[in-house]
Amino acid sequence: MELLKYSAVELAAAIKEGKATAVEAMEATLSRIEEKDGEINAYVTIDRDAALAAAKEAQQKIDAGVLTGPLAGVPVAIKDNLCTEGMLTTCASKILENFVPTFSAEAVINLEKAGAVVIGKTNMDEFAMGSTTETSAYGETKNPWNLKHVPGGSSGGSAAAVASNECFFALGSDTGGSIRQPASFCGVVGLKPTYGTVSRYGLIAYGSSLDQIGPLTKNVTDCATVLEVLATHDTKDSTSVKREDTDFSSALVEDVSGMKIGIPRDYFGEGLDAEVKEAVLAAAKALEEKGAVVEEFDLSLVEYAIPTYYTIAAAEASSNLERFDGVKYGYRTSEFDGLHNMYKKTRSEGFGAEVKRRIMLGAFVLSSGYYDAYYLKALKVKAMIKKAFDDAFAKYDIILGPVAPTTAPKLGESLSDPLKMYLGDIYTISVNLAGLPGISVPCGKDSKGLPIGLQLIADSFQEKKLIQTAYTYERLRGAFGMED
Amino acid sequence: MAKQYETVIGLEVHVELATKTKIFCGCSTAFGGAPNTHTCPVCTGMPGTLPVLNKQVVNYALAVGLATNCEITQYCKFDRKNYFYPDNPQNYQISQLYLPICRNGHVEIETSEGKKSVGIHEIHMEEDAGKLIHDEWEDCSLVDYNRSGVPLIEIVSEPDMRSAEEVIAYLEKLRMTIQYLGASDCKLNEGSMRADVNLSVREVGAEQFGTRTEMKNLNSFRAITHAIENERERQIDLLESGQQVIQETRRWDDNKEYSYAMRSKEDAQDYRYFPDPDLVPVYISDEWLSEIKNSQPEFREEKMVRYKKEFDIPEYDIGIITDSKHMADLFEETVAICHEPKKVSNWLMGETLRLLKEKSMDAEEIRFSPENLAKLIVLVDSKAINSSVAKEVFEVMFEEDINPEQYVEEKGLKTVNDEGALRKTIEEVIAANPQSVEDYRNGKEKAIGFLVGQTMKAMKGKADPGMVNQILKELL
């Protein structure tokens, strides 16, 4: 258990110093999974033999001095919408129940090159559509802090695995808050990078113009370290940006003096849980006392973010998910009468209710006669939201607010009212619409003992400001973790 | 008096571009190949893959757009056209709807009616689909994605054409222009150029267009001509019998010379076009555009004018030679070596055309090199071989592009210029044919032809007929 308490960076250092080995770390992780995952269900696929073999290989390279990086030998969990060569990749959907990719996602390759060792694939909302990990075709994941509650979503498996020490860090994807919100619910750190920072090649797309891969980690140091490995320019992704400033760990500096932090009043109005509000404002206060300049302002347009997001994301999803048709790979219905019927039955049986809801919504907003009124209008509002952030970042280095209006809801409470569930994304989705980086850092617990997340948002390509502020706050806050 | 009808035709022409690799991945575009061998995760639509635009596709589209007098959309985008069909691995085709790369162009055509301008509504870039193969025996269908992702441009004309002749002239003009650009080989029979015909009829003098149909599966100029004539008649018959033309897509059956309805407008799909979020907009800078402008080749019209000025060859020959970029290049390169435009032209117009016709080949398929043709001309000029031997050699050259000098040497085809030996043979011929000698001496000029022939036969063709003639006359 002692080994499992290490952060990713601490573990790599221990391995480097010969105090532990990659194989020991993997063995400890696998026994932890055996012990805990029966009740948590963070993983959908684990290949023990492959994981141990990969750990052994990593250790040999470490011993040979080939692998020296800060993640060498560290076990990592991968969200199941990231392709892993030779390993089942299902997006937590029945329609991909048997899909084994022939290549790995660029983000996964980058981690493997750095010496991280893949444990397996984590549970998620089906095709990343959902905020609770309850829409998975392979059963819900439970919040390690309280098994009666959801871990958040859609990267709920990744967040739960990090929180329960079933891995040392994990990859997630964030289209409308899918890294930050489960990180908040599970009391871990989650970062959604600036759009274009991490290659999307090998990420099975939900909303292509909003999707970004990012880390879920035990602390801010791990977060910066992992992001540094993930952020590479990839010519296989046309939206990948060539960045020079990817030495994110250089921003792990405990200093916020003079940092201008804006608190949008719009994020603290109706619907925000009082305990969440209190914890987030206390975090702002702590940063102010440490030298940051904190003031309130009006961001505006916040109420338009949700309809805009659900129009754009659903439109893109309706097209992105067309390829799952039973022709080439994945699930195909057993009996059918002709091509059209095969498509219809395969997709009716293969997709879950939430996915179908969003496909229908997306097909509707793109259909002839409605395109201008919905999709095109949503693109215009998206541009206006970006402008509102541009104006804010002319004044502030950081925008500070909650990640979600509440802490983790109980299992089964959300899916019965999808609209209410969509409203829970209110603080996270504008960040995706504007392509900005955002981070979630634990900032307290509510009276039920469930974690509360603090969200920090920066201007495009200003991840270093996020990391510096988050790191400073983390030091002020002190240790935050689950009692075992 | 019977009503007079006018045919109104617009064309949608798909052209496969001659890039080495596909539009959004690095796979080969080569025609044929075992099924699914020119494929990768991108062009088979595997989950997680992303398209990356091949810049050469844009270069070709720009070149065609400029050559057809189009306005260039310097900020253009790709859109997704969503429809389910197994030949389309993503179930959407990446194409352009909202901001196509070229718009508002035109080309000049010439028919028996005179010159005319045909408007081009737009040119857009898109990806081709794979091919379905229906296995009748196994009652199943198979799909080959080799063609999936091969780059296409679609050239959409205005409804400016009024006859099959104009349509063919327009297609010939496009084909010629695109071949000159090297942007495609434009073969209708291999599908690298495909034309869909939109046709309606209206009474002469009417201002409104009639209801149109779209005709597909036209694989030759002949099929296009027949389909146009057939569809015009079909629509007129409908109108004359008080019925209406239905807006629909029809498929031409070339064997039956008949078309049938594929789908009507009522069941037309809603393609739900929207900008592809996986691709960034293409910004064509002024520099990029002028780079393409500056590298445009000399087109046929300019070439014809220049040939007329530079070379003393008939206008008819110029027309034939410039009809194919490959033939024109061959002509120019050969002339540059041997400086004999008239003789080069004669070889191309005579033996080359004859052999192309005999072997049902296109001028584009000519294999012999300008160097070898020039060598052959020099061999004839220097009287090293006579013209009938030259034709024999040319035929081999046409097949295998052999070096004529070497070939003549190896096969011992050189003309015998040894006058002594020739004189000796002629003396023998004279001695063996007293009747012909008699006839000639009695004023029968023709008789000498027989004696020349006998001499050539005895020399196995390797004599200079002029020299034979001269010696014969002298001896007689």
Side-chain angles (χ1 to χ4, degrees):
Chain A
M1 188 56 209
E2 275 316 299
L3 206 54
L4 294 173
K5 292 274 184 192
Y6 281 142
S7 73
V9 169
E10 285 164 355
L11 175 67
I15 293 171
K16 201 172 181 179
E17 288 163 24
K19 291 183 195 156
T21 68
V23 178
E24 282 165 16
M26 184 59 80
E27 278 168 348
T29 305
L30 291 170
S31 9
R32 176 71 177 173
I33 291 168
E34 202 144 289
E35 176 198 343
K36 297 296 272 185
D37 213 46
E39 53 187 20
I40 292 175
N41 194 34
Y43 286 87
V44 285
T45 301
I46 290 173
D47 185 341
R48 293 181 61 93
D49 296 341
L52 284 168
K56 201 172 162 190
E57 200 189 316
Q59 186 60 47
Q60 282 164 355
K61 287 185 186 165
I62 292 163
D63 293 341
V66 180
L67 275 179
T68 56
L71 296 176
V74 180
V76 57
I78 308 291
K79 188 178 181 180
D80 207 27
N81 59 352
L82 286 156
C83 287
T84 41
E85 186 181 340
M87 186 184 273
L88 212 54
T89 299
T90 70
C91 288
S93 179
K94 181 179 176 180
I95 210 153
L96 284 177
E97 62 183 9
N98 55 7
F99 177 63
V100 179
T102 57
F103 63 95
S104 285
E106 190 70 7
V108 173
I109 291 172
N110 281 341
L111 285 181
E112 287 177 333
K113 274 190 206 153
V117 189
V118 175
I119 309 158
K121 308 299 288 289
T122 55
N123 202 10
M124 55 187 280
D125 282 296
E126 184 180 2
F127 283 103
M129 298 178 190
S131 315
T132 63
T133 314
E134 291 170 296
T135 70
S136 166
Y138 306 107
E140 65 222 7
T141 297
K142 296 185 181 75
N143 192 316
W145 292 75
N146 183 331
L147 297 176
K148 291 194 174 69
H149 289 254
V150 302
S154 65
S155 311
S158 288
V162 175
S164 62
N165 291 319
E166 290 183 69
C167 66
F168 289 83
F169 71 103
L171 284 190
S173 68
D174 190 318
T175 308
S178 280
I179 290 174
R180 290 160 288 156
Q181 185 256 30
S184 164
F185 285 4
C186 291
V188 300
V189 173
L191 183 141
K192 182 247 151 199
T194 305
Y195 188 75
T197 299
V198 181
S199 167
R200 292 185 297 117
Y201 194 85
L203 169 67
I204 301 179
Y206 159 26
S208 314
S209 71
L210 308 166
D211 293 342
Q212 241 336 254
I213 297 163
L216 290 109
T217 57
K218 295 181 181 181
N219 60 36
V220 177
T221 302
D222 282 2
C223 177
T225 307
V226 175
L227 185 62
E228 209 165 287
V229 170
L230 295 178
T232 54
H233 176 64
D234 182 8
T235 52
K236 296 190 296 305
D237 175 359
S238 310
T239 62
S240 169
V241 178
K242 204 169 193 171
R243 291 182 64 167
E244 308 291 338
D245 60 334
T246 55
D247 55 331
F248 300 111
S249 52
S250 70
L252 294 165
V253 178
E254 193 181 343
D255 179 18
V256 286
S257 47
M259 190 81 82
K260 286 185 216 121
I261 298 175
I263 298 181
R265 284 186 201 97
D266 337 41
Y267 278 24
F268 290 85
E270 206 186 326
L272 179 64
D273 179 90
E275 287 180 294
V276 173
K277 182 176 176 177
E278 196 184 329
V280 171
L281 289 176
K285 188 83 190 153
L287 286 166
E288 191 172 21
E289 280 165 8
K290 184 77 179 166
V293 182
V294 180
E295 66 179 46
E296 289 186 9
F297 76 106
D298 294 311
L299 180 60
S300 85
L301 298 173
V302 172
E303 68 269 36
Y304 297 106
I306 289 174
T308 303
Y309 169 81
Y310 278 95
T311 303
I312 293 171
E316 292 177 2
S318 73
S319 176
N320 285 333
L321 270 59
E322 281 164 353
R323 68 188 66 201
F324 308 112
D325 59 2
V327 172
K328 305 162 293 277
Y329 42 74
Y331 174 78
R332 180 190 291 178
T333 188
S334 49
E335 277 175 45
F336 52 88
D337 181 19
L339 178 67
H340 185 78
N341 185 249
M342 191 279 282
Y343 282 150
K344 199 168 156 182
K345 283 188 74 186
T346 297
R347 289 168 62 84
S348 297
E349 293 160 15
F351 289 131
E354 184 60 30
V355 172
K356 282 185 231 178
R357 183 163 26 240
R358 294 194 196 187
I359 288 175
M360 285 190 284
L361 179 64
F364 175 75
V365 299
L366 288 178
S367 58
S368 162
Y370 296 96
Y371 179 83
D372 290 0
Y374 293 104
Y375 185 72
L376 213 55
K377 183 167 272 179
L379 287 187
K380 286 176 188 162
V381 179
K382 182 187 182 212
M384 288 169 74
I385 289 171
K386 171 80 171 83
K387 174 79 174 44
F389 275 105
D390 287 346
D391 292 347
F393 287 119
K395 288 186 283 180
Y396 306 111
D397 299 303
I398 296 286
I399 293 174
L400 180 152
V403 176
T406 64
T407 54
K410 277 197 173 133
L411 287 161
E413 271 182 357
S414 306
L415 292 190
S416 54
D417 188 353
L419 267 183
K420 193 181 160 201
M421 181 173 81
Y422 297 172
L423 290 172
D425 300 337
I426 185 150
Y427 308 129
T428 46
I429 56 181
S430 335
V431 171
N432 300 78
L433 290 170
L436 305 172
I439 192 169
S440 170
V441 188
C443 68
K445 286 171 223 166
D446 69 2
S447 48
K448 286 171 279 186
L450 290 167
I452 297 168
L454 166 73
Q455 182 174 215
L456 303 172
I457 304 163
D459 202 356
S460 296
F461 309 115
Q462 298 300 321
E463 278 85 351
K464 282 184 184 171
K465 283 185 187 170
L466 278 189
I467 288 162
Q468 186 169 339
T469 311
Y471 179 74
T472 306
Y473 172 71
E474 189 181 61
R475 301 289 291 232
L476 292 170
R477 184 203 65 203
F480 190 98
M482 232 171 48
E483 298 299 316
D484 193 52
Chain B
M1 202 182 99
K3 288 178 185 166
Q4 294 294 306
Y5 289 93
E6 178 184 47
T7 319
V8 176
I9 306 166
L11 251 54
E12 288 166 29
V13 178
H14 284 92
V15 175
E16 261 182 20
L17 297 178
T19 55
K20 288 193 179 68
T21 56
K22 292 184 179 181
I23 183 167
F24 297 122
C25 65
C27 289
S28 163
T29 55
F31 183 75
N36 296 308
T37 52
H38 301 163
T39 56
C40 73
V42 176
C43 59
T44 53
M46 297 305 272
T49 57
L50 296 169
V52 176
L53 178 62
N54 178 346
K55 195 181 169 191
Q56 187 57 31
V57 173
V58 184
N59 288 340
Y60 280 145
L62 286 174
V64 175
L66 290 172
T68 52
N69 310 296
C70 286
E71 291 163 13
I72 303 299
T73 314
Q74 285 182 268
Y75 179 83
C76 79
K77 279 186 182 178
F78 283 92
D79 302 298
R80 290 186 187 175
K81 178 182 181 178
N82 299 284
Y83 66 95
F84 279 77
Y85 204 63
D87 65 1
N88 172 8
Q90 308 151 123
N91 288 321
Y92 58 80
Q93 179 195 30
I94 304 177
S95 180
Q96 295 191 293
L97 177 75
Y98 296 108
L99 292 170
I101 187 162
C102 310
R103 281 195 279 222
N104 301 327
H106 62 90
V107 293
E108 304 301 318
I109 60 166
E110 197 170 351
T111 64
S112 55
E113 306 276 306
K115 286 187 178 172
K116 174 172 181 173
S117 174
V118 175
I120 289 175
H121 182 77
E122 67 170 68
I123 301 177
H124 61 253
M125 304 176 275
E126 61 185 26
E127 57 178 342
D128 208 345
K131 263 183 192 162
L132 283 189
I133 297 139
H134 303 286
D135 187 333
E136 310 261 331
W137 299 99
E138 294 288 333
D139 189 29
C140 72
S141 298
L142 301 161
V143 59
D144 175 7
Y145 289 124
N146 281 352
R147 203 180 62 184
S148 170
V150 167
L152 298 176
I153 49 172
E154 181 175 345
I155 306 166
V156 183
S157 84
E158 297 292 352
D160 285 349
M161 286 158 278
R162 297 290 176 267
S163 67
E165 194 196 355
E166 287 184 3
V167 167
I168 301 303
Y170 169 75
L171 285 169
E172 285 279 20
K173 177 75 183 211
L174 284 185
R175 193 173 64 109
M176 187 73 59
T177 305
I178 294 166
Q179 282 178 350
Y180 263 74
L181 288 167
S184 173
D185 57 9
C186 292
K187 287 184 182 166
L188 270 93
N189 57 348
E190 279 184 19
S192 60
M193 186 179 197
R194 286 167 251 163
D196 298 337
V197 173
N198 284 283
L199 184 148
S200 64
V201 297
R202 63 177 170 187
E203 270 188 66
V204 169
E207 292 202 351
Q208 293 278 347
F209 287 134
T211 305
R212 68 168 193 270
T213 60
E214 183 181 350
M215 190 71 70
K216 288 186 176 288
N217 196 38
L218 302 166
N219 301 323
S220 65
F221 283 163
R222 199 189 67 100
I224 290 168
T225 305
H226 288 200
I228 288 172
E229 281 156 8
N230 182 287
E231 182 58 13
R232 172 187 152 88
E233 291 308 314
R234 193 188 69 86
Q235 291 190 12
I236 292 173
D237 285 350
L238 281 174
L239 297 177
E240 288 283 309
S241 62
Q243 298 175 72
Q244 283 186 331
V245 174
I246 301 163
Q247 187 172 340
E248 62 191 1
T249 304
R250 301 180 67 83
R251 187 180 164 87
W252 179 250
D253 185 327
D254 208 31
N255 294 322
K256 294 180 185 154
E257 299 245 318
Y258 162 84
S259 71
Y260 58 90
M262 284 165 76
R263 53 177 184 263
S264 75
K265 196 197 171 197
E266 278 66 44
D267 37 66
Q269 284 166 309
D270 181 352
Y271 291 120
R272 292 177 282 116
Y273 278 99
F274 76 108
D276 192 326
D278 288 333
L279 289 160
V280 288
V282 184
Y283 178 68
I284 298 147
S285 64
D286 293 341
E287 292 75 36
W288 186 354
L289 205 53
S290 52
E291 221 173 273
I292 301 290
K293 271 182 193 157
N294 295 336
S295 56
Q296 293 287 81
E298 179 187 43
F299 288 104
R300 189 186 184 199
E301 289 72 20
E302 305 156 83
K303 235 187 228 311
M304 288 172 83
V305 171
R306 181 167 64 84
Y307 279 19
K308 222 170 141 183
K309 242 192 306 187
E310 280 181 23
F311 309 120
D312 176 29
I313 54 173
E315 210 157 318
Y316 177 78
D317 296 13
I318 294 176
I320 302 272
I321 291 168
T322 56
D323 188 45
S324 142
K325 169 84 163 33
H326 183 58
M327 179 119 56
D329 287 345
L330 188 60
F331 171 77
E332 287 178 39
E333 283 162 33
T334 314
V335 171
I337 301 168
C338 71
H339 309 288
E340 298 266 20
K342 182 73 199 149
K343 285 175 181 159
V344 178
S345 165
N346 284 345
W347 278 109
L348 294 177
M349 298 296 297
E351 285 304 284
T352 307
L353 287 187
R354 183 181 70 78
L355 289 168
L356 284 177
K357 198 175 167 200
E358 193 180 294
K359 297 177 194 301
S360 311
M361 283 164 62
D362 279 344
E364 302 302 313
E365 294 168 272
I366 296 173
R367 284 186 293 263
F368 62 82
S369 64
E371 289 77 17
N372 286 339
L373 179 56
K375 279 178 189 161
L376 185 67
I377 289 169
V378 171
L379 283 173
V380 178
D381 275 359
S382 66
K383 301 205 152 90
I385 55 172
N386 63 43
S387 62
S388 59
V389 170
K391 280 181 188 174
E392 256 173 66
V393 175
F394 181 81
E395 208 153 326
V396 183
M397 205 176 90
F398 185 89
E399 283 291 320
E400 296 165 48
D401 192 28
I402 45 100
N403 176 342
E405 284 172 357
Q406 215 176 324
Y407 185 80
V408 164
E409 202 62 52
E410 281 167 12
K411 301 274 172 186
L413 295 175
K414 270 212 169 142
T415 302
V416 178
N417 287 324
D418 177 349
E419 208 187 312
L422 191 55
R423 205 171 271 274
K424 194 164 170 265
T425 308
I426 292 173
E427 277 165 3
E428 282 164 19
V429 168
I430 288 175
N433 295 285
Q435 186 59 49
S436 299
V437 173
E438 181 85 25
D439 289 349
Y440 178 75
R441 287 187 176 140
N442 290 339
K444 265 191 164 179
E445 288 280 331
K446 270 188 191 166
I448 201 164
F450 177 76
L451 294 170
V452 171
Q454 290 301 305
T455 310
M456 291 303 284
K457 196 175 164 190
M459 295 293 292
K460 298 198 172 73
K462 294 181 288 183
D464 175 4
M467 203 166 164
V468 173
N469 228 311
Q470 195 195 325
I471 297 171
L472 255 176
K473 280 183 180 162
E474 193 190 307
L475 291 176
L476 291 170

